Amino acid sequence: MKVLFLCTANSCRSILSEAIFNALAPKGMRAFSAGSHPKGEVNPLALQALLDAGFDVDGLYSKSTDAHQALAPDIVITVCDNAAGEACPVFFGPATRCHWGLSDPSEVNGSEAEIDAAFAATIQQIQTRVSALIALPFTQLDSDALKAELNRIGSL
């Protein structure tokens, strides 16, 4: 199973999601990330937050959706924050799509402790959602039930 996490810049939330999913997922499940307008570099605070939380950052880089043209993901999850007025990338293809809106911790202004707390909270929220996703009984879910479960997980 291949999961593609999409955001606009592919520098923070989608990168965090890719790294966390790949750390938690069992063999046979793999995450990728991309952006509709990639920044070209991963936010250094995102990389540090992943390291601080015990996640591997090797191989993470900001990339366009073009980098995954031949991927054929099973699930595509957008992680932009609609509440902040962000436009989520559109993915065309047969994948099951859902939206897991996440506030962007890299947009937090405040002390170093407040920024660190925002990243830690985002990582925790992603861990909760990814854990719920990988625990799904995929063989027992038709496409409608899977979509409903993914949407439910997006509210966790």
Side-chain angles (χ1 to χ4, degrees), residues 30-85:
R30 171 109 195 232
F32 304 84
S33 69
S36 56
H37 296 83
K39 224 176 206 177
E41 64 182 15
V42 178
N43 183 308
L45 294 175
L47 293 175
Q48 189 59 55
L50 284 167
L51 289 170
D52 291 347
F55 293 102
D56 186 12
V57 299
D58 288 342
L60 296 175
Y61 67 101
S62 178
K63 60 220 151 288
S64 165
T65 53
D66 294 343
H68 298 305
Q69 282 184 329
L71 180 64
D74 301 290
I75 298 171
V76 174
I77 301 171
T78 53
V79 293
C80 336
D81 185 5
N82 287 344

Side-chain angles (χ1 to χ4, degrees), residues 7-136:
C7 204
T8 306
N10 190 226
S11 64
C12 187
R13 292 162 290 179
S14 53
I15 293 284
L16 294 171
S17 299
E18 175 187 6
I20 293 167
F21 185 96
N22 286 333
L24 299 179
K27 186 175 178 159
M29 296 178 94
R30 171 109 195 232
F32 304 84
S33 69
S36 56
H37 296 83
K39 224 176 206 177
E41 64 182 15
V42 178
N43 183 308
L45 294 175
L47 293 175
Q48 189 59 55
L50 284 167
L51 289 170
D52 291 347
F55 293 102
D56 186 12
V57 299
D58 288 342
L60 296 175
Y61 67 101
S62 178
K63 60 220 151 288
S64 165
T65 53
D66 294 343
H68 298 305
Q69 282 184 329
L71 180 64
D74 301 290
I75 298 171
V76 174
I77 301 171
T78 53
V79 293
C80 336
D81 185 5
N82 287 344
E86 293 177 306
C88 289
V90 176
F91 178 82
F92 299 101
T96 300
R97 292 179 280 290
C98 69
H99 178 69
W100 290 359
L102 294 166
S103 297
D104 189 349
S106 68
E107 295 294 321
V108 170
N109 293 312
S111 68
E112 185 176 332
E114 290 168 325
I115 293 168
D116 289 348
F119 274 94
T122 301
I123 286 173
Q124 181 57 54
Q125 188 173 31
I126 293 168
Q127 282 182 280
T128 298
R129 291 176 179 180
V130 165
S131 294
L133 169 60
I134 62 178
L136 289 175

